[in-house]
Amino acid sequence: MNDWPEAWSDDNRGRRYGRGSASAQPESPRVMRQVRRGRPAPPGQGAYGGVPQQPQYVDGHGSGGYDDYDSGYNTGQVYGGGRGGGDGYGPQRPAPDWRRRIKWTAITLVTVLFVTTVATYFWADSKLNREVDLSKVIERPEKGEGTNYLIVGSDSREGLSDEDKKRLRTGSSEGKRTDSVMILHTGDNGPTLISLPRDSNVEIPTFKGSESGKTYRGTGRQVKLNAAYAEDGPELLVRTVEFNTGLHIDHYVEIGFAGFANIVDAAGGVEIDIPQDIKDTKSGADLKKGKQTLNGEEALAFVRTRYALAGSDLDRTKNQQKFLSALANQVATPGTVLNPFRLYPTMSAGLDSLIVDKEMGLFDLADMFWSMKGVSGGEGTSMNMPLAGSSGGNLLWDKDKVKQLVNQLNNDEKVTVTGD
């Protein structure tokens, strides 16, 4: 009697180990049937009214039309075990190329910085008011070592409304006069800032009119320094300074009342240590002794004050030097340079307010401000022009000391001359 199910025979049964076979030989290896997962059947279809199609088994290979199926057993990537994560099906996402991303980010940042810098340069350069033509100045001294800037503060009320004039205590005088005159020398031995009192006694030399082009012969006429500017403007002032000092002026920079106050306000005020209490009804100054931050209105009153000072105009020039150096230091701080919301308004206010010579460039202007910053930082020297007394209200220069000072500047030597 055959104990095997119908259609099975001993031949079908073979010699099977572990299934009642009398043989001790183990059965041959069998191929594991693999599960074909295939695509899910659409909703409502399938063998049993919506039941998904079931996998089929054929000795390790599926059937049913999906011959391209790879179970993953051959590669070890089964059930989402692939490198890209996910469910193990479809293309794998490649790992990000961080070196390439960093490179292109750096290139983009450098390009943006370069374009911004170039655009800022041309924008700033176009705003410079190059109105002074130094080629009209005749009989000029030879150029020495280093660079000499003639810095002029004028009492121009241009751009001020009636309300501004009242608030800033500027008065309403017509025209322009020099309120301060300074020479800034830059070179290898540190900057030197020299104030020329506006009441300095000088000789008006032969000059060519800046507008008429006519030559006016010198007669030895002695006047106060600020009269030269009032008579024929910046060109005659440069000619007079060069004639009376023997120093070649390379660049000219001028700023009026309104421009000065605007620059200070745009920079967010300027911190300065005031040496004494100051109260001056004419300039409007009402300041206490000590370190404090001045706004534009207060700063203008401070640099214009002279009647409340013991040394009058000489003490005022010292305060002007001190404040201009502090202003340059404030503009050059990271808080201004690295803050576009402060840098651009400050640059705009300054460039709109300055009047310079036709050969003045942005690098020259930067050199001037940086050198003035150096004066306040102790890297340079500030002084008044050496004086020998006065005559009829005019301040007389000490000719010997002035000659020694000019020689040191022309040779770009360390300045040893002292002034008042």
Side-chain angles (χ1 to χ4, degrees), residues 273-278 287-290 292 302 308-310 315:
D273 191 0
I274 298 178
Q276 66 180 73
D277 291 347
I278 299 176
L287 305 169
K288 299 298 182 182
K289 177 181 178 180
Q292 55 199 285
F302 175 69
L309 305 176
D315 282 349

Side-chain angles (χ1 to χ4, degrees), residues 31 36 167 225 230 233 259 285 338 365:
V31 178
R36 179 169 303 282
R167 176 174 56 86
L225 181 61
L338 300 180
L365 196 60

